[in-house]
Amino acid sequence: MTPRILFLGQKPLGEQCFTKLLQHHRLAVCGVCSNIGTSVWWGSELIHLEARRRHLPFVGNQQRHEDILMALIQHYRIDCLISVQHTWILSRELLEAVKGRAFNLHCAPLPGYKGFNACNHAILNAETRFAATLHWMNPQVDVGDAAFLEEVDIATDETAASLYEKMQGAGLRAFVRLLDTLEAGETPPRTPIVGEGRFYSRSSINALRRIQNPNDATEVDRKTRAFWFPPFEPAYIEKEGRKRHLVPGETP
């Protein structure tokens, strides 16, 4: 039986994954949810445009519309849900509607890096290895058994931007493994994620951009790399109430 998929995704990785999904012809895409318009930091609405071009049922994610998603699941007999870089926390009712066959791609290892800004925190925490986790979903954020894990090394000169690019590749590899498994008619593996871990909120990096001690070479190096992610604000020093932004390798 051909898996019937509802795809929720956005951002560069979501767009890459959606393209890969469309290339797996033995998988049926029966619904799509993504951003409309280009007033987002990645400046693209590729998923929306491609879904419309292919006449796929589409739901904009600018507002939460679980009722419409539920209607799509019921009407098209959707039996699998995949989320990539999407913003909504999905309800138990929605997950149960696909009998628990719901998967989320999180570009960080779990349970240590739940939530947001994982690449920034990885560098701030001086990690040397990182991983994208494709996991079974449940109603809690970034919780559920792991299906596929793809690891990367973090270089000593890594920035948040360069690590983000590495994680795009790792995430895409994990996503393709999921698609290949579904296409083969197999059930993705389930490995319990052990421990409570840590959740980083969306605002968790706001108070960390400021370099407290400009004479501390370690702090300067780590924070300039951790917050180098154009177009977002980089690390800075503050003197007499004025900010001076720094780039990696720059001396205060």
Side-chain angles (χ1 to χ4, degrees):
M1 181 176 176
T2 301
R4 303 175 67 81
I5 294 171
L6 171 61
F7 179 84
L8 297 84
Q10 60 178 24
K11 300 182 180 178
L13 180 56
E15 296 178 350
Q16 293 177 55
C17 289
F18 186 61
T19 300
K20 286 291 185 182
L21 174 58
L22 294 175
Q23 294 169 358
H24 280 64
H25 301 299
R26 292 193 293 274
L27 301 175
V29 182
C30 298
V32 181
C33 182
S34 188
N35 62 289
I36 297 176
T38 58
S39 58
V40 287
W41 69 261
W42 59 97
S44 172
E45 57 172 336
L46 182 149
I47 295 173
H48 171 227
L49 296 178
E50 186 61 21
R52 288 302 191 199
R53 189 180 74 83
R54 292 172 178 259
H55 305 291
L56 297 173
F58 182 86
V59 180
N61 67 4
Q62 63 272 24
Q63 293 183 346
R64 191 179 182 87
H65 289 298
E66 271 208 7
D67 56 334
I68 301 178
L69 297 185
M70 184 66 80
L72 287 176
I73 290 171
Q74 294 170 348
H75 181 77
Y76 291 101
R77 302 187 307 282
I78 291 171
D79 56 15
C80 183
L81 184 154
I82 306 176
S83 174
V84 180
Q85 305 278 278
H86 203 255
T87 59
W88 299 357
I89 300 172
L90 302 180
S91 69
R92 184 177 300 278
E93 290 74 21
L94 202 68
L95 301 183
E96 289 176 349
V98 294
K99 297 181 172 56
R101 284 169 57 84
F103 305 91
N104 178 58
L105 178 53
H106 182 66
C107 283
L110 295 174
Y113 285 83
K114 302 175 189 175
F116 304 90
N117 308 312
C119 291
N120 307 88
H121 287 293
I123 294 174
L124 289 172
N125 295 339
E127 301 284 4
T128 58
R129 294 279 288 172
F130 220 51
T133 309
L134 201 152
H135 65 94
W136 294 74
M137 295 179 72
N138 72 32
Q140 295 176 281
V141 178
D142 297 332
V143 175
D145 295 343
F148 301 106
L149 195 73
E150 289 287 340
E151 295 186 314
V152 302
D153 291 320
I154 299 179
T156 56
D157 61 349
E158 203 82 65
T159 66
S162 64
L163 179 57
Y164 186 86
E165 287 300 315
K166 283 185 178 180
M167 297 309 296
Q168 304 294 288
L172 188 60
R173 292 194 298 274
F175 185 79
V176 170
R177 290 173 68 186
L178 173 67
L179 297 186
D180 290 345
T181 301
L182 295 175
E183 199 169 49
E186 301 171 357
T187 300
R190 302 188 73 138
T191 302
I193 293 175
V194 180
E196 184 64 25
R198 180 169 181 178
F199 176 82
Y200 290 97
S201 70
R202 194 184 296 273
S203 62
S204 59
I205 58 174
N206 292 349
L208 301 176
R209 282 189 173 87
R210 181 179 178 182
I211 296 169
Q212 301 295 329
N213 183 1
N215 296 317
D216 184 339
T218 298
E219 182 188 5
V220 171
D221 171 66
R222 192 168 295 170
K223 286 196 172 182
T224 53
R225 290 187 295 108
F227 292 104
W228 184 250
F229 196 141
F232 299 102
E233 182 183 14
Y236 65 90
I237 58 175
E238 188 170 328
K239 187 175 182 180
E240 297 178 353
R242 301 186 66 178
K243 291 181 179 180
R244 176 189 163 195
H245 294 103
L246 301 179
V247 303
E250 184 177 0
T251 302

